């Protein structure tokens, strides 16, 4: 166990030494650690750590705490373990990690901090895995495992570091708390940090994960979620930033002509004059954004709009007028938040979301968009920018604490009846503030990652395959923490490199998941057969939307091969380029006798079902998929 702190540029790492049972003292004598534990059940242990500042005075000028690492004594025995690595934010990859795999961040720094936790230093070697907020260690041969997880949002971020041998033996598990601030350290003051849940289990790990999400949502208080998930149209994945008022009106009129069962109509990036100047539309929207909202309402839909409230570019009016509210490093230079060529040359920067001027502007923006313009659906993007390191106005707030304070302000401004969708958002500190949450990287009109992203070893590289992988591994967050947003569905043939079979897998995953369903095609050019497919996806989604799905086979394949929805549907797919026999184990036995009909084709499916009816085998062609009712 150790704590890292700094005084100006000097970094100190101080281990903790035992004083008496449950009490430890840092070697530097500045901190004392108290550990207590409880056992809510035979399988569960809850650890409550408390840090105490033992100096007789407050910290000296230039003092701050980086992180605290807590070694956990309960680790599984034996070999053959794999770990489930959960990503930091919406776009961060979440998947199983085998003992031989290297936990490697993207090569380029700006890809790392825009997609992963900038405070997590992944070694890039096999033998050490960092998982954000929770992890599962699972031995497939015995069906035994351990869940390690945070039990609350907490003032400080939490992650778990696992050391594993090539044979799959676990040698160490630790919980790491991201401070990266100067807490209010008074003599003998206590810092209460998040509790750690350790749960041992035997059985299906996906069910354990779903139960954890349920427990977490009940504890943190998710918003009251509607029975019907949002369905709609989004401008981004066909037009990107090249939208205008005419394009929006054309697709809007087509929604009614095609009789699509959608509720929301969302205008994405491209309407604003500049990133950061959210209240000033560009010349392509001469009528302004209120007129668009009024027209969307006139035909019976709810208007939605995109913004990235924590981002700002140098050309924006806000950056020029209020440089003091921009997040800066220790040298006074603006902190880069992202490099996005679609927005122009150079970096886009972050607001200091603890600065009064920035907070006043955030209040003005959201008040105007919701109350003056009339948008009841807001997609908030690139939210990780609110947690980037910098010399903030309020130095006593950790990155996670300042982020949660800003979200609380936004929710207070817009009210409980405004639907907030998070994107690019750190997951755990977002629970309770959002109605919907993007759980994956961006989809794309192609299946696998682009060659450049492969060369850069960008494990989070946007593509449909990676997006669907996260949609599966995080599927059970749906209705436990928020309404899942698996990102937009693309069914078109034009401007789409995916095959029909790959498109059907995309439709199957999104339909059976029961999460939010927004299409992002040019509706004026949509082919008839793809329109038929789209309407069937909406039908499937409507039948699955009220239940929390469970992925099948997280630890058996890099890409889980099935999804079970308690509403009565199973989806199974083969995402390889060769025919394969797919086997999935179900969380509950199948009750119906069959025959089983493929939802897409109406044909009888040739299945092999185990005697206990809890395992299904099926032969599928390359990129084949089926969905059937049980």
């Amino acid at each position: 166990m150790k704590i890292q702190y700094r005084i100006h540029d000097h970094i100190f790492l101080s281990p903790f030494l035992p004083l008496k049972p449950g009490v430890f003292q840092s070697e530097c004598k500045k901190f004392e650690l108290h550990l207590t534990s409880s056992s809510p059940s035979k399988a569960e242990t809850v650890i409550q750590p408390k840090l105490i500042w033992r100096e007789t005075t407050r910290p000296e000028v230039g003092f701050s705490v980086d992180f605290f690492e807590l070694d956990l004594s309960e680790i599984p025995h034996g070999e053959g373990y794999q770990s489930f690595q959960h990503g930091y934010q919406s776009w961060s990859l979440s998947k199983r990690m085998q003992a031989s795999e290297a936990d490697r961040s993207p090569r380029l720094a700006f890809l790392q901090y825009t997609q992963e936790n900038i405070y997590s230093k992944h070694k890039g070697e096999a033998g050490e895995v960092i998982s954000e907020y929770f992890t599962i260690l699972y031995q497939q041969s015995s069906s035994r495992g351990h869940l390690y997880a945070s039990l609350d949002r907490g003032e400080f971020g939490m992650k778990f570091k696992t050391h594993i041998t090539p044979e799959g033996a676990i040698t160490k598990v630790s919980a790491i708390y991201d401070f990266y601030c100067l807490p209010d350290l008074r003599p003998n003051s206590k810092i209460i940090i998040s509790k750690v849940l350790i749960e041992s289990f035997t059985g299906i790990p996906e069910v354990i994960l779903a139960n954890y999400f349920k427990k977490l949502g009940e504890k943190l208080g998710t918003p009251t979620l509607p029975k019907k998930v949002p369905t709609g149209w989004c401008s981004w994945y066909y037009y990107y930033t090249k939208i205008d008022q005419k394009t929006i009106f054309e697709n809007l009129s087509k929604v009614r002509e095609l009789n699509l069962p959608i509720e929301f109509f969302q205008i994405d990036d491209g309407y604003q004059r500049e990133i950061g100047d959210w209240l000033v539309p560009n010349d392509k929207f001469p009528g302004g954004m209120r007129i668009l909202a009024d027209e969307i309402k006139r035909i019976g839909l709810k208007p939605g709009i995109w913004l990235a409230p924590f981002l700002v570019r140098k050309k924006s009016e806000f950056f020029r007028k209020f440089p003091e509210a921009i997040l800066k490093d220790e040298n006074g230079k603006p902190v880069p938040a992202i490099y996005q060529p679609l927005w122009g040359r150079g970096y886009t920067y972050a607001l200091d979301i603890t600065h009064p001027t920035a907070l006043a502007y955030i209040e003005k923006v959201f008040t105007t968009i919701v109350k003056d313009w009339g948008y009841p659906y807001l997609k908030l993007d690139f939210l990780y920018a609110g947690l980037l390191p910098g010399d903030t106005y309020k130095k006593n707030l950790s990155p996670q604490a300042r982020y949660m304070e800003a979200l609380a302000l936004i929710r207070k401004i817009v009210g409980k009846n405004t639907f907030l969708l998070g994107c690019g958002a750190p997951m755990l500190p977002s629970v309770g503030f959002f109605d919907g949450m993007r759980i994956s990287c961006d989809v794309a009109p192609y299946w696998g990652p682009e060659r450049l992203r492969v060369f850069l070893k960008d494990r989070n590289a946007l593509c449909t395959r990676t997006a669907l992988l996260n949609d599966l591994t995080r599927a059970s967050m749906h209705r436990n923490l928020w309404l899942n947003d698996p990102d937009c569905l693309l069914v078109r043939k034009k401007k789409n490199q995916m095959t029909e079979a790959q498109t059907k897998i995309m439709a199957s995953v999104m339909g059976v998941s029961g999460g939010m369903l927004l299409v992002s095609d040019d509706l004026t050019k949509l082919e008839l057969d793809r329109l038929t497919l789209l309407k069937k996806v909406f039908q499937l989604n409507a039948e699955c939307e009220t239940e929390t799905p469970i992925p099948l086979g997280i630890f058996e394949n890099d890409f889980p091969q099935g999804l079970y929805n308690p509403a009565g549907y199973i989806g199974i797919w083969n995402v390889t380029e060769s025919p394969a026999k797919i086997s999935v184990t179900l969380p509950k036995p199948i009750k119906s006798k069959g025959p089983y009909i493929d939802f897409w084709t109406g044909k009888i499916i040739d299945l092999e079902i185990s005697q206990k009816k809890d395992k299904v085998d099926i032969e599928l062609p390359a990129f084949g998929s089926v969905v059937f009712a049980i």
Side-chain angles (χ1 to χ4, degrees), residues 287-306:
M289 306 313 292
R290 180 171 179 172
I291 287 178
L292 285 178
D294 289 343
E295 183 62 17
I296 293 169
K297 292 175 184 176
R298 188 185 67 79
I299 69 165
L301 299 180
K302 296 178 182 178
I305 199 166
W306 169 95

PDB file of all heavy atoms in Angstrom, residues 287-306:
ATOM      1  N   GLY A 287     -32.314  30.671 -40.026  1.00  0.00           N
ATOM      2  CA  GLY A 287     -33.510  30.885 -39.218  1.00  0.00           C
ATOM      3  C   GLY A 287     -33.279  30.710 -37.728  1.00  0.00           C
ATOM      4  O   GLY A 287     -34.169  31.009 -36.921  1.00  0.00           O
ATOM      5  N   GLY A 288     -32.098  30.202 -37.367  1.00  0.00           N
ATOM      6  CA  GLY A 288     -31.827  29.971 -35.946  1.00  0.00           C
ATOM      7  C   GLY A 288     -32.358  28.619 -35.493  1.00  0.00           C
ATOM      8  O   GLY A 288     -33.089  27.915 -36.208  1.00  0.00           O
ATOM      9  N   MET A 289     -32.008  28.242 -34.294  1.00  0.00           N
ATOM     10  CA  MET A 289     -32.316  26.897 -33.808  1.00  0.00           C
ATOM     11  C   MET A 289     -33.710  26.779 -33.193  1.00  0.00           C
ATOM     12  O   MET A 289     -34.259  25.682 -33.115  1.00  0.00           O
ATOM     13  CB  MET A 289     -31.256  26.464 -32.790  1.00  0.00           C
ATOM     14  CG  MET A 289     -29.822  26.558 -33.321  1.00  0.00           C
ATOM     15  SD  MET A 289     -29.608  25.829 -34.979  1.00  0.00           S
ATOM     16  CE  MET A 289     -29.851  24.103 -34.607  1.00  0.00           C
ATOM     17  N   ARG A 290     -34.286  27.877 -32.782  1.00  0.00           N
ATOM     18  CA  ARG A 290     -35.636  27.799 -32.222  1.00  0.00           C
ATOM     19  C   ARG A 290     -36.660  27.459 -33.300  1.00  0.00           C
ATOM     20  O   ARG A 290     -37.604  26.689 -33.054  1.00  0.00           O
ATOM     21  CB  ARG A 290     -36.003  29.116 -31.543  1.00  0.00           C
ATOM     22  CG  ARG A 290     -37.398  29.096 -30.937  1.00  0.00           C
ATOM     23  CD  ARG A 290     -37.695  30.297 -30.094  1.00  0.00           C
ATOM     24  NE  ARG A 290     -39.046  30.235 -29.550  1.00  0.00           N
ATOM     25  CZ  ARG A 290     -39.544  31.078 -28.657  1.00  0.00           C
ATOM     26  NH1 ARG A 290     -38.787  32.064 -28.189  1.00  0.00           N
ATOM     27  NH2 ARG A 290     -40.774  30.963 -28.229  1.00  0.00           N
ATOM     28  N   ILE A 291     -36.472  28.012 -34.497  1.00  0.00           N
ATOM     29  CA  ILE A 291     -37.395  27.721 -35.599  1.00  0.00           C
ATOM     30  C   ILE A 291     -37.375  26.229 -35.929  1.00  0.00           C
ATOM     31  O   ILE A 291     -38.424  25.617 -36.184  1.00  0.00           O
ATOM     32  CB  ILE A 291     -37.031  28.566 -36.833  1.00  0.00           C
ATOM     33  CG1 ILE A 291     -37.440  30.029 -36.603  1.00  0.00           C
ATOM     34  CG2 ILE A 291     -37.676  28.012 -38.095  1.00  0.00           C
ATOM     35  CD1 ILE A 291     -37.089  30.950 -37.741  1.00  0.00           C
ATOM     36  N   LEU A 292     -36.172  25.640 -35.906  1.00  0.00           N
ATOM     37  CA  LEU A 292     -36.075  24.208 -36.168  1.00  0.00           C
ATOM     38  C   LEU A 292     -36.814  23.407 -35.101  1.00  0.00           C
ATOM     39  O   LEU A 292     -37.517  22.435 -35.413  1.00  0.00           O
ATOM     40  CB  LEU A 292     -34.611  23.786 -36.224  1.00  0.00           C
ATOM     41  CG  LEU A 292     -33.831  24.163 -37.495  1.00  0.00           C
ATOM     42  CD1 LEU A 292     -32.388  23.718 -37.371  1.00  0.00           C
ATOM     43  CD2 LEU A 292     -34.465  23.544 -38.723  1.00  0.00           C
ATOM     44  N   ALA A 293     -36.627  23.794 -33.855  1.00  0.00           N
ATOM     45  CA  ALA A 293     -37.314  23.096 -32.761  1.00  0.00           C
ATOM     46  C   ALA A 293     -38.826  23.198 -32.922  1.00  0.00           C
ATOM     47  O   ALA A 293     -39.558  22.208 -32.727  1.00  0.00           O
ATOM     48  CB  ALA A 293     -36.879  23.671 -31.416  1.00  0.00           C
ATOM     49  N   ASP A 294     -39.296  24.361 -33.282  1.00  0.00           N
ATOM     50  CA  ASP A 294     -40.738  24.566 -33.459  1.00  0.00           C
ATOM     51  C   ASP A 294     -41.281  23.701 -34.591  1.00  0.00           C
ATOM     52  O   ASP A 294     -42.380  23.135 -34.492  1.00  0.00           O
ATOM     53  CB  ASP A 294     -41.037  26.038 -33.748  1.00  0.00           C
ATOM     54  CG  ASP A 294     -40.827  26.929 -32.526  1.00  0.00           C
ATOM     55  OD1 ASP A 294     -40.768  26.383 -31.404  1.00  0.00           O
ATOM     56  OD2 ASP A 294     -40.711  28.154 -32.700  1.00  0.00           O
ATOM     57  N   GLU A 295     -40.513  23.593 -35.686  1.00  0.00           N
ATOM     58  CA  GLU A 295     -40.968  22.806 -36.825  1.00  0.00           C
ATOM     59  C   GLU A 295     -40.983  21.315 -36.488  1.00  0.00           C
ATOM     60  O   GLU A 295     -41.887  20.578 -36.892  1.00  0.00           O
ATOM     61  CB  GLU A 295     -40.060  23.069 -38.035  1.00  0.00           C
ATOM     62  CG  GLU A 295     -40.477  22.365 -39.312  1.00  0.00           C
ATOM     63  CD  GLU A 295     -41.853  22.786 -39.818  1.00  0.00           C
ATOM     64  OE1 GLU A 295     -42.364  23.847 -39.390  1.00  0.00           O
ATOM     65  OE2 GLU A 295     -42.426  22.033 -40.642  1.00  0.00           O
ATOM     66  N   ILE A 296     -39.980  20.858 -35.733  1.00  0.00           N
ATOM     67  CA  ILE A 296     -39.942  19.452 -35.312  1.00  0.00           C
ATOM     68  C   ILE A 296     -41.150  19.135 -34.435  1.00  0.00           C
ATOM     69  O   ILE A 296     -41.798  18.086 -34.588  1.00  0.00           O
ATOM     70  CB  ILE A 296     -38.621  19.161 -34.560  1.00  0.00           C
ATOM     71  CG1 ILE A 296     -37.431  19.274 -35.524  1.00  0.00           C
ATOM     72  CG2 ILE A 296     -38.658  17.775 -33.914  1.00  0.00           C
ATOM     73  CD1 ILE A 296     -36.079  19.273 -34.847  1.00  0.00           C
ATOM     74  N   LYS A 297     -41.477  20.055 -33.545  1.00  0.00           N
ATOM     75  CA  LYS A 297     -42.645  19.858 -32.684  1.00  0.00           C
ATOM     76  C   LYS A 297     -43.940  19.880 -33.483  1.00  0.00           C
ATOM     77  O   LYS A 297     -44.893  19.157 -33.162  1.00  0.00           O
ATOM     78  CB  LYS A 297     -42.685  20.947 -31.610  1.00  0.00           C
ATOM     79  CG  LYS A 297     -41.571  20.860 -30.579  1.00  0.00           C
ATOM     80  CD  LYS A 297     -41.633  22.057 -29.626  1.00  0.00           C
ATOM     81  CE  LYS A 297     -40.493  22.075 -28.656  1.00  0.00           C
ATOM     82  NZ  LYS A 297     -40.490  23.281 -27.796  1.00  0.00           N
ATOM     83  N   ARG A 298     -43.961  20.697 -34.528  1.00  0.00           N
ATOM     84  CA  ARG A 298     -45.179  20.866 -35.311  1.00  0.00           C
ATOM     85  C   ARG A 298     -45.622  19.564 -35.958  1.00  0.00           C
ATOM     86  O   ARG A 298     -46.832  19.310 -36.093  1.00  0.00           O
ATOM     87  CB  ARG A 298     -44.964  21.932 -36.391  1.00  0.00           C
ATOM     88  CG  ARG A 298     -46.245  22.324 -37.145  1.00  0.00           C
ATOM     89  CD  ARG A 298     -45.958  23.273 -38.275  1.00  0.00           C
ATOM     90  NE  ARG A 298     -45.190  22.647 -39.336  1.00  0.00           N
ATOM     91  CZ  ARG A 298     -45.711  21.844 -40.267  1.00  0.00           C
ATOM     92  NH1 ARG A 298     -47.002  21.570 -40.265  1.00  0.00           N
ATOM     93  NH2 ARG A 298     -44.944  21.322 -41.202  1.00  0.00           N
ATOM     94  N   ILE A 299     -44.658  18.720 -36.339  1.00  0.00           N
ATOM     95  CA  ILE A 299     -45.048  17.457 -36.965  1.00  0.00           C
ATOM     96  C   ILE A 299     -45.148  16.324 -35.938  1.00  0.00           C
ATOM     97  O   ILE A 299     -45.273  15.161 -36.308  1.00  0.00           O
ATOM     98  CB  ILE A 299     -44.093  17.065 -38.105  1.00  0.00           C
ATOM     99  CG1 ILE A 299     -42.716  16.680 -37.561  1.00  0.00           C
ATOM    100  CG2 ILE A 299     -43.974  18.155 -39.135  1.00  0.00           C
ATOM    101  CD1 ILE A 299     -41.877  15.960 -38.599  1.00  0.00           C
ATOM    102  N   GLY A 300     -45.077  16.677 -34.664  1.00  0.00           N
ATOM    103  CA  GLY A 300     -45.341  15.698 -33.616  1.00  0.00           C
ATOM    104  C   GLY A 300     -44.133  14.989 -33.048  1.00  0.00           C
ATOM    105  O   GLY A 300     -44.277  13.977 -32.347  1.00  0.00           O
ATOM    106  N   LEU A 301     -42.922  15.496 -33.312  1.00  0.00           N
ATOM    107  CA  LEU A 301     -41.704  14.901 -32.759  1.00  0.00           C
ATOM    108  C   LEU A 301     -41.088  15.817 -31.704  1.00  0.00           C
ATOM    109  O   LEU A 301     -41.462  16.989 -31.579  1.00  0.00           O
ATOM    110  CB  LEU A 301     -40.683  14.635 -33.876  1.00  0.00           C
ATOM    111  CG  LEU A 301     -41.122  13.677 -34.985  1.00  0.00           C
ATOM    112  CD1 LEU A 301     -40.018  13.520 -36.016  1.00  0.00           C
ATOM    113  CD2 LEU A 301     -41.514  12.329 -34.417  1.00  0.00           C
ATOM    114  N   LYS A 302     -40.127  15.266 -30.963  1.00  0.00           N
ATOM    115  CA  LYS A 302     -39.421  16.042 -29.944  1.00  0.00           C
ATOM    116  C   LYS A 302     -38.040  16.412 -30.458  1.00  0.00           C
ATOM    117  O   LYS A 302     -37.291  15.543 -30.896  1.00  0.00           O
ATOM    118  CB  LYS A 302     -39.293  15.229 -28.649  1.00  0.00           C
ATOM    119  CG  LYS A 302     -40.635  14.900 -27.996  1.00  0.00           C
ATOM    120  CD  LYS A 302     -40.439  14.046 -26.756  1.00  0.00           C
ATOM    121  CE  LYS A 302     -41.780  13.685 -26.122  1.00  0.00           C
ATOM    122  NZ  LYS A 302     -41.621  12.809 -24.926  1.00  0.00           N
ATOM    123  N   PRO A 303     -37.688  17.706 -30.404  1.00  0.00           N
ATOM    124  CA  PRO A 303     -36.392  18.134 -30.937  1.00  0.00           C
ATOM    125  C   PRO A 303     -35.243  17.815 -29.994  1.00  0.00           C
ATOM    126  O   PRO A 303     -35.357  17.949 -28.776  1.00  0.00           O
ATOM    127  CB  PRO A 303     -36.557  19.649 -31.101  1.00  0.00           C
ATOM    128  CG  PRO A 303     -37.602  20.030 -30.101  1.00  0.00           C
ATOM    129  CD  PRO A 303     -38.520  18.845 -29.985  1.00  0.00           C
ATOM    130  N   GLY A 304     -34.129  17.371 -30.572  1.00  0.00           N
ATOM    131  CA  GLY A 304     -32.920  17.120 -29.809  1.00  0.00           C
ATOM    132  C   GLY A 304     -31.744  17.856 -30.425  1.00  0.00           C
ATOM    133  O   GLY A 304     -31.744  18.153 -31.625  1.00  0.00           O
ATOM    134  N   ILE A 305     -30.740  18.131 -29.627  1.00  0.00           N
ATOM    135  CA  ILE A 305     -29.583  18.870 -30.128  1.00  0.00           C
ATOM    136  C   ILE A 305     -28.318  18.400 -29.424  1.00  0.00           C
ATOM    137  O   ILE A 305     -28.357  17.949 -28.272  1.00  0.00           O
ATOM    138  CB  ILE A 305     -29.785  20.397 -29.949  1.00  0.00           C
ATOM    139  CG1 ILE A 305     -28.841  21.193 -30.849  1.00  0.00           C
ATOM    140  CG2 ILE A 305     -29.641  20.817 -28.492  1.00  0.00           C
ATOM    141  CD1 ILE A 305     -29.220  22.663 -30.984  1.00  0.00           C
ATOM    142  N   TRP A 306     -27.209  18.483 -30.135  1.00  0.00           N
ATOM    143  CA  TRP A 306     -25.892  18.061 -29.658  1.00  0.00           C
ATOM    144  C   TRP A 306     -25.086  19.274 -29.215  1.00  0.00           C
ATOM    145  O   TRP A 306     -25.172  20.338 -29.826  1.00  0.00           O
ATOM    146  CB  TRP A 306     -25.168  17.349 -30.798  1.00  0.00           C
ATOM    147  CG  TRP A 306     -23.696  17.062 -30.575  1.00  0.00           C
ATOM    148  CD1 TRP A 306     -23.158  15.906 -30.108  1.00  0.00           C
ATOM    149  CD2 TRP A 306     -22.596  17.938 -30.844  1.00  0.00           C
ATOM    150  NE1 TRP A 306     -21.787  16.007 -30.066  1.00  0.00           N
ATOM    151  CE2 TRP A 306     -21.410  17.245 -30.505  1.00  0.00           C
ATOM    152  CE3 TRP A 306     -22.490  19.252 -31.327  1.00  0.00           C
ATOM    153  CZ2 TRP A 306     -20.131  17.803 -30.640  1.00  0.00           C
ATOM    154  CZ3 TRP A 306     -21.223  19.818 -31.456  1.00  0.00           C
ATOM    155  CH2 TRP A 306     -20.067  19.097 -31.111  1.00  0.00           C
TER     156      TRP A 306
END
